[in-house]
Amino acid sequence: MPTEKLVSDFKITLSPDGAIVKLSATQDGSSTTLNFPPDVVGALVVGLLGAAAVRATAPPPIKTGEMPPDPYVMAGGVGLSDVPDRPDAFAFTFGFGQTLLSIGLDRKALGPLGKGMMAASADHGAKPS
């Protein structure tokens, strides 16, 4: 069990002018707010996901069409690329405003991913090009 004090009741908001991302949290009944420029959000997310990935012993099983109950955010764009130092991997890069976030996957995931994308396209009447 962790001996550090844990944060609870966190909330992420944007300043009215969009210049600051605010992370508010409560720890031991005391509230604090951290302010970040929007251009560091990608690095924060990568750091958080990287810490979660290191901590995990195995990825959780994910069924086709399954989504976690947590909120999600819609990306404004997506691209696919090779990972230069990992020939066994590829990355999806998602655009969220000015923030780009890349998520890497083992190339073995391409088969199931492609099948899932084709199924999703068929479900919505789209034709692959």
Side-chain angles (χ1 to χ4, degrees):
M1 199 67 166
T3 58
E4 293 87 9
K5 296 175 183 176
L6 299 177
V7 172
S8 64
D9 302 320
F10 69 92
K11 183 169 76 168
I12 300 168
T13 57
L14 191 61
S15 66
D17 64 359
I20 299 170
V21 176
K22 297 174 172 264
L23 170 61
S24 303
T26 302
Q27 186 176 31
D28 289 339
S30 177
S31 292
T32 188
T33 299
L34 300 174
N35 298 317
F36 301 98
D39 60 344
V40 303
V41 170
L44 290 169
V45 171
V46 168
L48 291 169
L49 291 175
V54 167
R55 175 72 175 101
T57 56
I62 302 170
K63 298 176 185 160
T64 301
E66 181 180 18
M67 257 184 85
D70 298 327
Y72 68 93
V73 61
M74 293 292 291
V78 64
L80 184 65
S81 62
D82 292 324
V83 177
D85 60 337
R86 294 276 313 266
D88 62 330
F90 69 99
F92 281 107
T93 299
F94 298 93
F96 301 96
Q98 298 297 65
T99 299
L100 297 179
L101 174 66
S102 292
I103 305 290
L105 293 169
D106 189 293
R107 288 193 182 277
K108 293 176 189 169
L110 281 170
L113 184 61
K115 288 178 187 174
M117 292 173 79
M118 290 295 287
S121 294
D123 288 347
H124 293 90
K127 302 285 187 221
S129 56

